[in-house]
Amino acid sequence: MSSNRPSSESPTKPDSTPRFWNDPDKRALIFQGLIVLALGAFILTVVSNTLHNLEQRGITTGFDFLSVEAGFGILQSLIPYSEADSYGRTFIVGLLNTVLVSFLGIIAATFLGFLIGVGRLSKNWLLAKICAVYVEIFRNIPLLLQIFFWYFAVLRTLPSPRQSFELFGGYLNVRGLYLPAPILEDGFGIVWTALIVGIVATWLFKRWADKKHDESGREYPVGLIALGLIVGLPLLVFFFAGAPVTMDYPALKGFNFRGGVTLIPELIALWLALTIYTAAFIAEIVRGGILAVPHGQLEAASALGLPRGRTLRFIIIPQALRVIIPPLTSQYLNLTKNSSLATAIGYPDLVSVFAGTTLNQTGQAIEVIFMTMAVYLTLSVLTSIFMNWYNSRSALIER
Amino acid sequence: MIKRSLITATILSAATSGHVLADVTLDAVKARGVLQCGVSTGLPGFSNPDDKGNWKGLDVDMCRAVAAAVLGDATKVKYIPLTAKERFTALQSGEIDLLPRNTTWTQTRDTQLGLNFAGVNYYDGQGFMVSKDLGVKSAKELDGAAVCIQAGTTTELNLADYFRLNGMSYAPVVFDTSDQTVKGFEAGRCDVLTSDQSQLYALRIKLEKPDSAMVLPEVISKEPLGPVVRQGDDQWFNIVKWTHNALLNAEELGVTSANVDEMKKSKNPNVRRLIGLEGPKGKGLGLNDDWAYQVIKQIGNYGESFDRNVGAGSPLKVNRGINALWTDGGLQYAPPMR
Ligand SMILES: N[C@@H](CCC(=O)N[C@@H](CS)C(=O)NCC(=O)O)C(=O)O
């Protein structure tokens, strides 16, 4: 290059500030800028092209439909909903139903997955084998089939409402599980207060006990005291307040049971299938996490004379969790996304209600799908953020 | 799942194609040599594959008639089964050329989805089917019932209106296909199955024990069902509209698949115009002059199609009722071909 230049500059003096296109940092900046511009232009063209074409084809666009009356019923809603509500509300109803089944699924799958993962490592041969078989079976059968199995093969064979099975004051039939619901009366507020007091007191006590433990090595029965404060105290208050709760029992009126709470079979089937399927993966993650704790740690613990329970609590679990949490997060995300298979059995989740009926009734595919995708993205990001936060708390602190 | 890919297709096609779909369907169908026709996933009488896998029904005849008019061969149809939820997206995205799938003509669908209804090939209304041992005689007694319905239909909306108007509560159990809806009804998941009345008769014969169920007398809505096309392609819209009109005019003039050849000798100018010997023929539609002849020859007239698929000659045994020609006191009336 320099030889091509008219050599008015002194050739001996090194160019300390290179031309900006020769500076890799600046060049990178320019390229990045160009890419952002190109991407922006691309998105802009796609959006304006889409709007233009939709208009040309006489397809209504925009989000005005969200305030229009929906006019259709939804089987299960966590918030008050009637057909006189808006399409916007069907979005919320569907969203909450998705959140409900995902939440229930995550709790149950975690619990079951941990049991089975630990069970696979058990010294009891039979238990370990049963757990291994569980994992192999349920993670290898496609989830949709499992949902169909529970819904069509199991729940569909239950009797009609008039011949319901009776259990725990509730009823089980082909229309679902009908359970008595507690109705809190006026005096119940004091029980909530007691619960909050219990939780705060436990937290304070734990801090104090930890401090004492650090200073003197003395142990306090934190678990027992926590149980007493969080469960015992509200319970005592509850009875002293004269048990301010009445039960609303479901009863057969006309065609169906009314009163109490109803778990519709669509929810039960989906919940069961999501739980059982995801638990198989979680079990493997848990097993891997525990096996990842170096054996030397165990030996060191027993050399120090730590009893088995404490070895588990203070040595194994904290180290295993470090390995378990990242893949566990992605299982939670999977479960949430898999819950959209709900539409196959008519559980009114977001995809079934909003991206299904609402989309069809309004015909506004692009807006509806956009909103639906945004929801799954947001749910996933929120779960990730929470799990990352939890992960950073339980991560190994290098000293 | 089909639905997702359909929606993606709409979005992509809407986002990328630079021109409007004007007057392109006819050319596309001719170039392809087959008509892509959206039908139901299986509804006896309207669109249902028989035991040899051939599609049969009143709506299927609409597909065949258009194929006969455009391509001269009623067998040149590719049937694309769609659930109620999928159908409009499939049409909007160009996946199908024509949608005769027991689809109700409503203002929203006609004006907001970029679609046009080319006529009414069946006047229907929504009804209820219940199990006989429920002991219900009227829809007014259905307070608190669980109702099986299909997602993405006018049925869903009418049901809500009806129960609200009558101050009754209900639990909507919503499925994607009529098969699932029927199974849900049979398994007792719901007390009532609601749908267009014609379809209730069709679904009833799909039951394991058809005699255990009955259709209630109430008809709670107007459901004019007809073939749908994309808005903005007037030529194609005209073709479908006039194919339907030809079927009706043929019945009115007594022209059938059996006598259409003989009718070529007819002196009646109406008949001669119908089969393209005189009058406007095929030019304005961009079709061959014998287009309507082909339709009648290969499909028959509206009455024949009705009879064979849903009427006396079929297991459904539906009366012509309001679907009779206007000359017989019904609503079926086609503008003259001249
Ligand atoms: N005419 C109504 C209802 C159409 C409809 O989809 N009916 C159901 C009857 S249950 C059906 O045809 N199902 C057949 C299928 O799912 O393929 C509409 O246009 O919304």
Side-chain angles (χ1 to χ4, degrees):
Chain A
M1 276 278 261
S2 63
S3 61
N4 294 344
R5 261 187 250 157
S7 51
S8 60
E9 289 168 38
S10 150
T12 50
K13 191 177 146 205
D15 214 347
S16 58
T17 50
R19 297 293 170 105
F20 74 89
W21 58 79
N22 282 341
D23 182 337
D25 286 347
K26 287 188 185 139
R27 212 164 43 200
L29 232 109
I30 292 178
F31 281 127
Q32 288 176 27
L34 282 180
I35 287 178
V36 169
L37 269 182
L39 199 69
F42 174 72
I43 293 175
L44 213 70
T45 337
V46 167
V47 170
S48 75
N49 214 347
T50 307
L51 287 177
H52 175 77
N53 282 333
L54 289 176
E55 196 186 333
Q56 289 282 348
R57 294 183 190 181
I59 300 176
T60 309
T61 51
F63 287 93
D64 293 346
F65 72 97
L66 288 176
S67 56
V68 173
E69 182 181 298
F72 62 90
I74 302 177
L75 183 55
Q76 172 193 295
S77 174
L78 296 181
I79 50 172
Y81 171 83
S82 84
E83 40 283 321
D85 285 316
S86 66
Y87 284 122
R89 201 163 173 98
T90 67
F91 172 76
I92 310 280
V93 171
L95 174 62
L96 289 177
N97 285 342
T98 289
V99 170
L100 174 72
V101 72
S102 305
F103 178 76
L104 291 176
I106 284 176
I107 304 278
T110 309
F111 190 69
L112 189 64
F114 268 79
L115 285 184
I116 290 173
V118 172
R120 257 196 105 165
L121 295 172
S122 161
K123 297 217 169 59
N124 180 331
W125 183 85
L126 187 65
L127 182 64
K129 276 288 167 276
I130 290 178
C131 293
V133 168
Y134 174 96
V135 168
E136 288 314 324
I137 289 184
F138 288 107
R139 76 174 174 181
N140 287 317
I141 299 179
L143 177 58
L144 188 60
L145 284 187
Q146 297 196 33
I147 295 176
F148 282 157
F149 171 78
W150 291 110
Y151 189 60
F152 291 110
V154 179
L155 298 178
R156 271 290 163 83
T157 56
L158 290 171
S160 72
R162 273 160 230 213
Q163 275 116 38
S164 307
F165 295 128
E166 216 183 315
L167 54 154
F168 320 118
Y171 299 90
L172 181 66
N173 61 45
V174 68
R175 309 263 168 93
L177 181 61
Y178 296 80
L179 295 172
I183 296 186
L184 310 184
E185 281 167 11
D186 287 347
F188 201 81
I190 189 161
V191 181
W192 290 124
T193 320
L195 182 70
I196 292 167
V197 169
I199 291 173
V200 172
T202 306
W203 181 71
L204 288 175
F205 175 73
K206 170 118 176 38
R207 265 184 43 159
W208 177 82
D210 282 354
K211 201 159 144 253
K212 274 276 177 254
H213 180 244
D214 287 348
E215 282 167 4
S216 65
R218 245 199 89 178
E219 291 281 342
Y220 297 89
V222 178
L224 261 179
I225 289 179
L227 191 75
L229 283 173
I230 296 179
V231 179
L233 182 68
L235 219 59
L236 266 180
V237 172
F238 174 75
F239 285 115
F240 271 115
V245 158
T246 46
M247 291 307 256
D248 177 21
Y249 289 97
L252 190 59
K253 282 206 195 84
F255 301 107
N256 286 306
F257 281 92
R258 300 201 191 177
V261 282
T262 313
L263 287 185
I264 53 173
E266 290 78 19
L267 173 63
I268 302 175
L270 190 64
W271 182 22
L272 274 174
L274 285 174
T275 301
I276 290 172
Y277 177 76
T278 314
F281 290 91
I282 293 182
E284 284 302 89
I285 291 169
V286 168
R287 184 172 73 110
I290 294 176
L291 287 179
V293 178
H295 200 62
Q297 296 278 332
L298 279 181
E299 284 164 359
S302 64
L304 287 175
L306 272 185
R308 189 160 160 71
R310 300 206 152 195
T311 313
L312 206 64
R313 216 176 113 202
F314 295 118
I315 310 286
I316 300 185
I317 291 181
Q319 298 193 64
L321 274 187
R322 265 192 313 129
V323 181
I324 289 173
I325 285 175
L328 190 63
T329 312
S330 62
Q331 286 307 324
Y332 289 175
L333 298 183
N334 281 347
L335 188 145
T336 307
K337 286 178 276 186
N338 285 339
S339 74
S340 64
L341 289 172
T343 174
I345 55 168
Y347 173 74
D349 80 325
L350 185 69
V351 172
S352 168
V353 169
F354 191 66
T357 300
T358 297
L359 187 159
N360 183 277
Q361 301 293 5
T362 61
Q364 296 196 248
I366 295 188
E367 293 84 351
V368 168
I369 293 297
F370 173 79
M371 285 175 72
T372 310
M373 291 197 312
V375 162
Y376 282 96
L377 190 66
T378 313
L379 284 183
S380 294
V381 169
L382 285 181
T383 315
S384 284
I385 289 177
F386 175 76
M387 292 305 278
N388 283 344
W389 167 80
Y390 189 75
N391 189 30
S392 66
R393 278 202 39 184
S394 64
L396 190 64
I397 301 161
E398 308 264 357
R399 280 186 252 247
Chain B
M1 303 199 100
I2 314 171
K3 200 189 81 202
R4 297 240 173 93
S5 63
L6 280 178
I7 290 168
T8 324
T10 326
I11 294 175
L12 280 182
S13 81
T16 51
S17 73
H19 64 276
V20 192
L21 285 163
D23 295 359
V24 295
T25 314
L26 177 62
D27 296 339
V29 172
K30 278 185 175 160
R32 213 189 294 124
V34 263
L35 174 77
Q36 298 190 326
C37 208
V39 290
S40 77
T41 59
L43 190 66
F46 287 82
S47 44
N48 200 33
D50 66 11
D51 39 16
K52 290 183 211 70
N54 298 318
W55 284 89
K56 291 276 158 64
L58 194 69
D59 287 339
V60 167
D61 277 353
M62 197 65 218
C63 301
R64 297 176 61 231
V66 172
V70 173
L71 302 166
D73 185 348
T75 62
K76 294 261 167 56
V77 183
K78 184 173 173 210
Y79 296 98
I80 301 184
L82 299 164
T83 67
K85 252 158 73 174
E86 294 160 352
R87 59 188 154 171
F88 300 123
T89 334
L91 186 59
Q92 288 166 337
S93 67
E95 168 120 358
I96 54 175
D97 307 309
L98 176 63
L99 176 75
R101 186 206 167 281
N102 45 76
T103 295
T104 305
W105 187 349
T106 69
Q107 187 186 349
T108 307
R109 289 172 178 179
D110 203 356
T111 60
Q112 290 183 23
L113 308 196
L115 306 175
N116 276 335
F117 283 78
V120 177
N121 69 342
Y122 192 101
Y123 289 97
D124 214 334
Q126 184 175 335
F128 297 96
M129 177 164 74
V130 295
S131 155
K132 273 189 187 148
D133 38 81
L134 216 56
V136 168
K137 292 279 166 289
S138 152
K140 297 260 163 60
E141 299 164 33
L142 291 177
D143 190 17
V147 188
C148 282
I149 30 171
Q150 197 164 333
T153 56
T154 46
T155 321
E156 252 184 306
L157 308 176
N158 298 328
L159 176 72
D161 284 355
Y162 184 78
F163 276 74
R164 180 151 49 126
L165 199 64
N166 287 295
M168 304 190 294
S169 70
Y170 70 104
V173 186
V174 184
F175 295 104
D176 275 355
T177 66
S178 65
D179 231 32
Q180 287 177 335
T181 319
V182 172
K183 291 226 182 72
F185 177 69
E186 276 187 308
R189 176 67 186 90
C190 45
D191 305 293
V192 189
L193 191 160
T194 180
S195 155
D196 297 347
Q197 267 222 334
S198 65
Q199 298 163 23
L200 288 180
Y201 294 107
L203 296 176
R204 200 173 85 105
I205 59 174
K206 266 190 169 181
L207 293 178
E208 258 165 48
K209 284 181 263 147
D211 284 338
S212 66
M214 60 183 259
V215 175
L216 296 178
E218 283 87 354
V219 175
I220 65 165
S221 71
K222 290 191 287 190
E223 308 287 329
L225 312 179
V228 197
V229 295
R230 273 182 296 278
Q231 185 173 313
D233 186 343
D234 291 348
Q235 183 186 33
W236 186 248
F237 182 35
N238 284 340
I239 291 174
V240 177
K241 198 160 46 182
W242 283 97
T243 304
H244 173 60
N245 290 339
L247 289 167
L248 288 175
N249 281 321
E251 183 181 10
E252 191 178 330
L253 296 168
V255 184
T256 66
S257 54
N259 70 10
V260 63
D261 283 312
E262 235 167 275
M263 285 291 186
K264 280 186 172 164
K265 289 180 235 133
S266 165
K267 296 264 166 355
N268 183 341
N270 284 315
V271 172
R272 296 182 65 79
R273 279 194 294 270
L274 169 68
I275 53 184
L277 301 174
E278 281 164 24
K281 302 189 179 173
K283 191 154 176 294
L285 293 171
L287 300 178
N288 294 337
D289 287 344
D290 70 343
W291 65 272
Y293 165 83
Q294 296 295 350
V295 170
I296 301 163
K297 177 81 190 155
Q298 300 183 38
I299 284 85
N301 64 35
Y302 179 77
E304 289 176 76
S305 172
F306 191 99
D307 190 64
R308 161 172 85 225
N309 294 306
V310 293
S314 77
L316 299 190
K317 309 256 183 287
V318 179
N319 290 332
R320 274 302 279 272
I322 51 173
N323 285 296
L325 289 183
W326 66 289
T327 43
D328 300 332
L331 294 175
Q332 290 293 1
Y333 180 109
M337 297 174 76
R338 66 180 323 131

